[in-house]
Amino acid sequence: MSALALSVLLSLVSAVAYAAGAILQERVATDTPDRPYAPLHHGVWWAAVALNGLGAVLHVVALAYGPLSLVQPLGALTIVFALPMAALFAGRRAGHTAWRGAIMASVGLAGLLALTDGADSRSLDGGERLVLAAAAFGAMGLLFLVAQSVGRPVVRSMLLAGAAGGAFGIASVFTKTVAVDWTSEAPTVQAPSLGVIAVLAACGLLLSQAAYRGAGLAAPLATVTVVNPVVAAAVGLTLFGEQFRYGVLGTVLALGSGVVAAGGLILLTTERLAVQTREARQHGEARQHAGRYSEGASAARPASWDRPPDDSDAPSDPDAERPQVGEGVDVGSVPRPRTHLEVEMRSGAVAGGS
C-alpha cells in the first residue's frame, strides 16, 4: 500500500472514530443531564474519550504519511459518517434538513481546507505563544459565560461547541509548534506548551460534552468539526505565513466555501430549533388535554363524593366492613349484588348501638 493510500485510510478511520465518540457523548448527555461536563461515573463516557483519543492519534499518523491538503479535508467527513451511524446503532434518524446542513458544512469545510496552502513549517516564539494562549482562554471563557446566560438549549449548545472547537484548534496550533521545535532537550523546554495543549484538550472535551445536552447530535458535532480546523487555519494564515492556493481566485473560492459551511451550521441550528419548538408545542397540547380531562372528571363526580366524612347528611357506606354506629342509614336500591355485606338487625336499629 502506498503512503498516500495509507494516509487516506487512516483519515477515514479517524473520522469514523470521531463520529462514534460523538454518538456516545450525545448518549451520555441524554442519560446524565445533571452532569453536563464530566460524567466521570459513566463508563460510556470513558469509551467516548478513548474513541476521540484514537481519532486524534490516527489523524496525526495520517499527517505523517500524507499531505495536509488531503488529510484535513477528509476530517470533515466526521459529520457525514455520524448521521448514518447514529441511525444504525442508536436508532436516531436525521431528517432531510439535518442531512442537507451536514453535507453543506462538510463540503464547505473540505473546500476551505483544500484551498489552504501550508507554508514552510515555522515555530512561534515565547511572546506569540503567550498571546495566543491568553486569547484562546479569554475567548473560551467569554463564550462559556454567554452560553450560561442563554435560555435556548440549542443556542447554548452551539456556543459551547464553538468554544470546544476553538480549544481543539488552538491545541492543534501548539502541537504543530512543539513538533517543529522538538529536539532531544524538548521535554523540558517545551513543558509550558505541552501543559497548554493538555489544558486546551481537556477544556475542549468537557465543553463538547456539555454541548450535546439538549441539542441532539448533528448541530454540536458539525460546529466542533468546522470551528476546529477553521480556527487553526486562521492562525496559520496570520502567524505561520500560510495562504490560499491560486491567488485571488483561491481566496474567493475559500470565502465561498466558508459561506457554505456557515450556511450548513445555520441550517442545522434552525432544524434543531424547529424540532424543539414542535416538541414543546406537543407537550403543551398534551398537558392542556390532560387538564380538560381532569376538569371533566371532577364535574362528573357526584357532589356527595366531595363532602367531608363527618357530614350528617352523608349516605352510609355500602361497602363498610362493620356496622356503622350512630349514622343515618339510607334505604335505596343496591346497584349490584353485595354478597359480602353482613347486616344484623335488632329491634329495628343498626347493630352495635346501645
Side-chain angles (χ1 to χ4, degrees), residues 199-216:
V199 173
L200 286 172
C203 290
L205 178 64
L206 299 180
L207 289 170
S208 65
Q209 178 61 55
Y212 289 106
R213 185 181 56 160

Side-chain angles (χ1 to χ4, degrees), residues 214 271-286:
E271 187 267 345
R272 189 61 193 178
L273 286 172
V275 169
Q276 288 193 342
T277 302
R278 184 169 60 254
E279 291 176 349
R281 185 185 302 113
Q282 292 174 352
H283 181 66
E285 291 175 353

